[in-house]
Amino acid sequence: MLATIGTSARGQGSGPSQMLQWTPDGTAIVTLLVPANRGPEPPEDPIPAGPLTRHTRDEPTPMRTYPTLLEDPHDEALFEHYTTSQIAEVGLDGSVRELGEPAMVESISLSPDGEHLLVTRIERPFSYITSYRDFPRATLILDRNGSRVSEVAYRPLDEGGGDDDGESEARGFAWLPDGSGLAFMRRAEQDEADDEALRPDRIFRVDAPFDLEEAELLAESEHPIRSMSVSRDGEHLFATVVDGGEQGIAHWEIDPESESAASDPTMIVAFHDTDDPTALPGELWTRETGNGVGYAMVSGDGESAYLRGDGYKADFRPQPFVDRVRLADGSTERIFEGARDSFDQPQSPWTPMWTA
């Protein structure tokens, strides 16, 4: 197995691994393998192909400083060599079926019905002035044979000098946990006749063959959406929305039988300042399926969701809590609160330490 850029759920090194995913029948997994024909490490040619040139831009461009960057064509070849992987389906009997051609795959996500793969991969051109996180990305839908069904997004190389902020591009692709398709976010285009016109942020759903122009509008927010989550049954949609330096949580009820978007949202967590850790109301409690498809936890009667937080006090000692929040009006009831003195007890060598 290849354990370079494709080890985390979203290619960011912070989520649980999705390198291994079970198909719905439970008999095979989808994984990333070292390509069978990868061969030895590319040798370095002692004779330069030509001079290395650098071009500045006309205007100043803010740039981060990175300690390690690609420096020459040999570095490029090494990067591609060690990040190229093969998506494959592995049976319980050890049989291996390759899906498509090797590529610099950063993340994979199998749809709940097991019929499609959401794949993000790195593409050329590379850069010598920014890290690999800013290299071009293509987000594709593949079928179970590894054939391309659709390219749903492409992000070009970003060296800090682009004029397009990408605000109107589709983003945040994720399978819906109830198996009803692929969800994504996209902000409305700017009105060329009115620069001050409201640009609502929107959440869409699309199914095979994943033509984004045919997507169904699920919900719309007058505030920018930072993240979204859907209940396991697909009937409740939540979004973290921002307003200046504040953020809150909005909720929509989704009618699977309706062809129109949900009505205006209910703010179950009011806009609040996120700079004061002692005043945070908690985050929406979400979980993941075995294959890493996230969903929001909702009560059995469909009337409540849950917030969880660290509960920092004035002395910055944590007191974790769980609140039940009513979806109708945002009222909360505390159903769990940890003991503050528990954090003063000696820790065993394997127990994570809490720090203020």
Side-chain angles (χ1 to χ4, degrees), residues 51-298:
L52 295 177
T53 61
R54 300 287 189 270
H55 298 273
T56 59
R57 296 186 176 91
D58 294 335
E59 301 294 333
T61 303
M63 292 292 296
R64 292 184 178 182
T65 300
Y66 298 95
T68 55
L69 296 172
L70 303 184
E71 296 183 354
D72 53 42
H74 182 239
D75 282 354
E76 294 188 48
L78 291 176
F79 179 85
E80 188 166 21
H81 177 81
Y82 285 113
T83 59
T84 297
S85 60
Q86 174 67 61
I87 302 176
E89 188 171 328
V90 182
L92 295 179
D93 59 358
S95 60
V96 177
R97 185 171 70 93
E98 296 183 349
L99 307 180
E101 298 297 323
M104 291 177 283
V105 177
E106 184 178 54
S107 66
I108 57 175
S109 179
L110 185 67
S111 61
D113 62 7
E115 295 299 318
H116 296 93
L117 277 166
L118 175 66
V119 177
T120 298
R121 68 188 190 193
I122 298 174
E123 297 192 343
R124 285 179 175 269
F126 301 149
S127 171
Y128 298 162
I129 63 174
T130 189
S131 79
Y132 82 95
R133 298 186 186 278
D134 293 320
F135 293 174
R137 296 290 196 283
T139 302
L140 312 171
I141 304 295
L142 307 181
D143 63 20
R144 278 289 294 279
N145 293 319
S147 299
R148 179 188 296 204
V149 176
S150 174
E151 180 177 299
V152 294
Y154 180 80
R155 192 192 76 188
L157 175 66
D158 181 10
E159 293 185 323
D163 296 328
D164 184 10
D165 58 7
E167 285 188 344
S168 300
E169 299 298 323
R171 68 191 196 280
F173 294 95
W175 297 114
L176 290 167
D178 64 344
S180 61
L182 185 71
F184 65 94
M185 297 174 282
R186 174 184 278 168
R187 197 174 182 191
E189 296 282 353
Q190 180 68 59
D191 187 343
E192 296 182 359
D194 184 2
D195 292 340
E196 302 298 324
L198 182 67
R199 295 180 61 193
D201 216 351
R202 296 163 175 162
I203 299 175
F204 295 86
R205 172 173 55 201
V206 64
D207 206 345
F210 304 102
D211 181 354
L212 299 194
E213 299 306 317
E214 301 296 327
E216 170 193 1
L217 177 62
L218 289 181
E220 183 174 275
S221 168
E222 64 178 286
H223 302 286
I225 299 173
R226 177 166 293 170
S227 62
M228 64 176 176
S229 185
V230 181
S231 61
R232 190 71 181 263
D233 60 10
E235 296 182 4
H236 299 274
L237 174 62
F238 303 87
T240 299
V241 293
V242 296
D243 184 11
E246 298 185 333
Q247 73 177 32
I249 300 177
H251 165 256
W252 295 263
E253 288 192 16
I254 304 299
D255 182 357
E257 305 299 326
S258 176
E259 296 183 357
S260 59
S263 58
D264 292 339
T266 299
M267 292 297 297
I268 62 171
V269 174
F271 285 105
H272 57 277
D273 187 355
T274 59
D275 290 336
D276 182 1
T278 66
L280 297 179
E283 300 290 335
L284 185 69
W285 194 346
T286 62
R287 302 192 70 178
E288 293 184 337
T289 67
N291 279 351
V293 177
Y295 62 91
M297 293 179 59
V298 175

Side-chain angles (χ1 to χ4, degrees), residues 315-336:
D315 59 1
F316 290 100
R317 295 170 64 192
Q319 190 173 11
F321 67 87
V322 177
D323 285 348
R324 180 188 291 115
V325 54
R326 286 183 52 82
L327 300 178
D329 56 14
S331 59
T332 60
E333 173 192 3
R334 183 139 301 180
I335 59 176
F336 168 80

